[in-house]
Structure formats: C-alpha cells, structure tokens
Amino acid sequence: MFSPDTINRFESAQTPFYYYDLQLLKQTLNACSEAAGKYGFQVHYAMKANFNQRILEIIKDAGLGADCVSGNEVNKAIETGFSPDKVVFAGVGKSDREITEALNHEIFCFNAESVQELEVINTLAAKLGKRARIALRINPNVDAHTHHNITTGLEENKFGINQWELPACAEVLSRSANLWLEGIHFHVGSQITDLNVFKSLCIKVNEIKAWFEERGFNLNSLNVGGGLGIDYYQPDENAIVDFTKYFEIFNQFLERKQAQTVHFELGRALVAQCGNLISRVLYVKKGIKKNFLILDAGMTELMRPALYQAYHKIENITGRHNASRPVIKYDVVGPICESTDCFGKEVELAESERGDLIAIRSAGAYGEVMASGYNLRDRVVSLYSE
Ligand code: LLP
C-alpha cells in the first residue's frame, strides 16, 4: 500500500503516471533467483512485459537473461548490458534485418517458430559465416486455462511449430550446416494461475524431448517459457508470487539429463505488482442507473481492461477521505473516445470527487509498454520509489 508520504508526493505530481516500487521489484527478483537457483534453472526476463530502462537495469543487475521478441528488444537488451549469451530471441515474424543483427550480436539462441524460418536463418547465417543456435519453438497443444486472447500453446494459435512438422524440422536441421540445434522451446500462455498447466507442459516436453533423442539429436537446453500468473485481486497480500512452488513443479516433473540446462522466460510474475497507474478523477457523472468516475488516465495508458476485459484493482487513495464516507458503485472510465475505455464496472469505492487520486494496481506488466498515442495523448511518464 501507499504510505502517507508517498500519497503526498503523488498530490504534487502531474497525473497520470506509472509509479514503480523498485524495492518490491528487487525483492521479487531475489525470491525468483533464490527459488530458481536451487535447481540451477536459468531465468530470462521477458522484456516485452516492461522495457522501462530503470526496470531493465535492475533486472540485468540481478543476473537474469533477456527474452526478446523483436530486433529492437535484442538491441536494447544488449545496450542495457545483458550478456549476449543470455539473450533468446522469439517471435513468429522475425525479419531478415532482425535475424542478421541478432546473429552479429552472437545471441544465445533463436527460438525458431516455423520450418521456413529455419531455412531463412540458415541462409542468413551462411552469408555471415556463422552458425546460429536454434531452439525449436514447439506448439505442445496444452490448454493454458487462461484468457482466450493470451493463450498461445494450442494448435489453433499462430505460435510455434506443430508436432506433425517435427520430421520436416529434423530434416532441415540435418542438412543445414549453419544451424545448430541447441534445444526445444515452449510457451503455452500468460497469466496462468492453475499450476497443473505447467505439470501438463512438463509431460509434453518429456515426450517431445524423447522424440528428438531417439533420432540422435542431443538437446543441450529445454526452455519452458513463461506464463506464471499473479494475484490481481489481492496485490498487497500476494505481492510476490510463490516461485518456490512454481519451480518445484518443473524440478519434479521435467525429465532432464545432468548436462541439460532448463530455461524460463518470465515477464508478468517479475514486474506486474511493482507498478501502479496513478490517475486523478476529472469528473463525477451521476446517472440514473450508473455513476461514472471519469479519470485522466485511459486505455491509452493501460490497455489491458479494454483489450482483454482484464481486472485491475482500483482504489481511491486520497488521504483526506476518512472511513466514514459512504461506499458507492462507479463505472471507472477514461477520457478516450471509445466505449471500451473502461477500467472497471460497478467498482465499489469510497464516495469520490474531482481531484481525488485513483490507483490502478498491478499495472507493471503489459501496462506502460502497451501505451499508445491514440487521440494524440501525451506519453505517460514514470515515478519511482527507490
Ligand atoms: N515467452 C513467450 C514466448 C511469450 O510469448 C511470453 C508472453 C512470455 C514468455 C512471457 O509471458 P509472461 O511470463 O509475462 O506471462 N499483453 C498480454 C500478455 C501477452 C503475453 C505475450 N507473451 C496481457 O496484458 O495480459
């Protein structure tokens, strides 16, 4: 929660802004590294979740690698100081320029998503006289039991190589002198809170791993992606996810040889809870059926509710309100000219008025990075607690 001093600081700041609790970020990273370190697991930060420079630097200092999904992310990771041999590069549509730049950076591994991509990487690597390390991103057809729009591991999704294409991959790999099969890669979806999903994933990985090993391919690494969900409903009570339980599942169910390294690509679980979108009430509109709280932040600053009907806890944090205020239900909306520009419907809040500060919680992942300039809005700024 926010201390009175923090709220005083907010009072004099220009809203809206992202507020990042860097202490919480560091504690989260420690908890993750400790739990992963127990089994020698290697964690790459999925920087698509938040590539704010301060955040990236703290994550780099904590010793994590980087999981990138564009050439610009690869470049930014390396400029920030992530070691190239800890950088992985995924994405269904890597351009020739992006592949070439990543080859020049000598990154750890390309997570290749199609047979055609393998051929292209081989050709580009040959031009540079290099050998590209490849992890095949395989679609395991495992249901992540999460929001439809953030599921990636089903055959209906565009991601990864389907299992019936594995013989074709094996054939390309065998005859491509500029490719080196490093391992296999999976990612089934995001905001996964049912940990059984990861158990099912392990079982699938074991099967596919065996398929390759039976055919004489030696796999150095197994990359199981990210997707660990957080508690959007109780951000204070569960500020740090249970990394111990998460990594234990992989230790228990993933079959691996001693020399095989296991890699993770966590985004949300590392950064979501340290970020909050702080906004001010511009207007209160009382209706017959509904009351609207109109904020100075909208879907241009935090897109998740508009895009996925995602829940974020909303709080009125203005200090001057005491507990005696009646609780009222509001539809909390932004100023953008779209009906989906709504942060929550029928949200119970202490009776609110123009000028009150509103915190939208758990917004550190897929918040600031998905901001847009729609309606020619100002770029959202950030504040930090050290
Ligand atoms: N690895 C791959 C290959 C991915 O596609 C993703 C996320 C991750 C790792 C990291 O997943 P995480 O640990 O953060 O769940 N914008 C959506 C989420 C999109 C996730 C995309 N891929 C949202 O706001 O919920």
Side-chain angles (χ1 to χ4, degrees):
M1 263 291 28
F2 307 101
S3 68
D5 279 355
T6 305
I7 293 172
N8 275 340
R9 194 176 157 209
F10 292 174
E11 288 289 1
S12 55
Q14 170 93 30
T15 50
F17 58 86
Y18 273 93
Y19 173 71
Y20 293 109
D21 180 344
L22 301 182
Q23 277 307 323
L24 177 58
L25 173 62
K26 288 176 190 166
Q27 287 161 7
T28 308
L29 292 166
N30 279 343
C32 176
S33 297
E34 205 171 294
K38 213 169 133 193
Y39 308 114
F41 292 162
Q42 298 183 25
V43 181
H44 304 258
Y45 169 56
M47 65 188 270
K48 67 174 84 61
N50 194 325
F51 43 71
N52 175 303
Q53 194 61 38
R54 293 289 304 276
I55 289 184
L56 280 186
E57 271 162 23
I58 290 172
I59 295 177
K60 182 258 303 176
D61 289 343
L64 276 73
D67 160 39
C68 306
V69 284
S70 72
N72 289 346
E73 282 193 2
V74 172
N75 292 339
K76 194 171 174 74
I78 287 164
E79 276 160 30
T80 303
F82 283 91
S83 167
D85 63 9
K86 288 186 181 172
V87 171
V88 296
F89 181 16
V92 286
K94 303 177 189 77
S95 71
D96 293 17
R97 179 184 66 82
E98 291 176 311
I99 294 169
T100 304
E101 284 181 10
L103 282 167
N104 281 327
H105 284 308
E106 311 260 347
I107 61 165
F108 169 58
C109 195
F110 289 83
N111 295 339
E113 306 227 9
S114 67
V115 182
Q116 195 169 26
E117 185 189 328
L118 287 177
E119 307 263 20
V120 171
I121 298 178
N122 186 48
T123 307
L124 295 172
K127 269 191 199 156
L128 298 173
K130 293 184 187 282
R131 202 159 187 211
R133 280 175 295 273
I134 301 288
L136 293 176
R137 176 171 181 180
I138 298 164
N139 186 335
N141 204 21
V142 166
D143 190 344
H145 299 299
T146 182
H147 190 287
H148 181 71
N149 292 358
I150 51 176
T151 285
T152 52
L154 291 175
E155 272 173 9
E156 69 197 53
N157 300 124
K158 70 178 174 184
F159 300 98
I161 296 164
N162 288 315
Q163 285 161 62
W164 45 267
E165 294 172 300
L166 293 186
C169 289
E171 190 270 318
V172 175
L173 287 163
S174 314
R175 67 171 155 80
S176 301
N178 298 83
L179 300 182
W180 165 262
L181 181 64
E182 168 66 30
I184 46 180
H185 170 242
F186 303 82
H187 174 76
V188 288
S190 199
Q191 184 50 19
I192 297 169
T193 49
D194 173 1
L195 293 185
N196 283 317
V197 169
F198 296 114
K199 182 178 162 189
S200 309
L201 171 63
C202 289
I203 293 166
K204 226 28 209 257
V205 176
N206 295 342
E207 254 174 60
I208 293 171
K209 180 170 109 69
W211 188 93
F212 278 96
E213 287 171 349
E214 279 158 20
R215 281 155 188 81
F217 288 98
N218 182 40
L219 303 175
N220 288 334
S221 65
L222 308 173
N223 182 334
V224 291
L228 177 60
I230 61 133
D231 189 344
Y232 280 98
Y233 292 86
Q234 297 189 295
D236 294 313
E237 295 80 345
N238 294 317
I240 299 178
V241 299
D242 193 341
F243 290 107
T244 303
K245 225 174 173 179
Y246 171 68
F247 289 119
E248 251 170 31
I249 292 181
F250 291 91
N251 182 55
Q252 193 180 348
F253 296 103
L254 199 61
E255 289 162 9
R256 56 175 167 140
K257 293 192 185 138
Q258 267 232 307
Q260 254 160 354
T261 54
V262 182
H263 300 253
F264 293 80
E265 300 171 340
L266 292 175
R268 189 186 317 263
L270 299 174
V271 294
Q273 298 291 27
C274 77
N276 303 274
L277 178 60
I278 309 296
S279 169
R280 226 176 264 281
V281 175
L282 286 177
Y283 301 102
V284 183
K285 219 172 164 181
K286 290 211 164 82
I288 298 175
K289 288 194 178 153
K290 274 186 183 295
N291 299 309
F292 290 99
L293 216 55
I294 302 171
L295 307 186
D296 61 6
M299 62 190 283
T300 41
E301 286 69 50
L302 178 64
M303 171 110 81
R304 304 191 68 255
L307 201 56
Y308 318 113
Q309 298 75 50
Y311 174 86
H312 285 261
K313 190 168 186 189
I314 301 172
E315 292 168 352
N316 184 328
I317 56 169
T318 297
R320 63 177 175 271
H321 289 333
N322 57 44
S324 64
R325 288 221 164 195
V327 170
I328 296 197
K329 282 186 184 167
Y330 296 101
D331 278 14
V332 181
V333 302
I336 308 303
C337 301
E338 296 278 347
S339 298
T340 55
D341 183 27
C342 175
F343 289 119
K345 287 192 193 294
E346 313 236 314
V347 181
E348 291 191 350
L349 292 172
E351 187 172 23
S352 304
E353 56 192 50
R354 176 173 164 82
D356 282 359
L357 285 168
I358 301 290
I360 304 179
R361 309 293 311 277
S362 316
Y366 308 108
E368 190 183 346
V369 279
M370 289 173 72
S372 82
Y374 186 43
N375 288 193
L376 206 53
R377 298 271 293 170
D378 288 332
R379 207 178 147 70
V380 64
V381 296
S382 311
L383 246 68
Y384 307 90
S385 79
E386 300 303 321

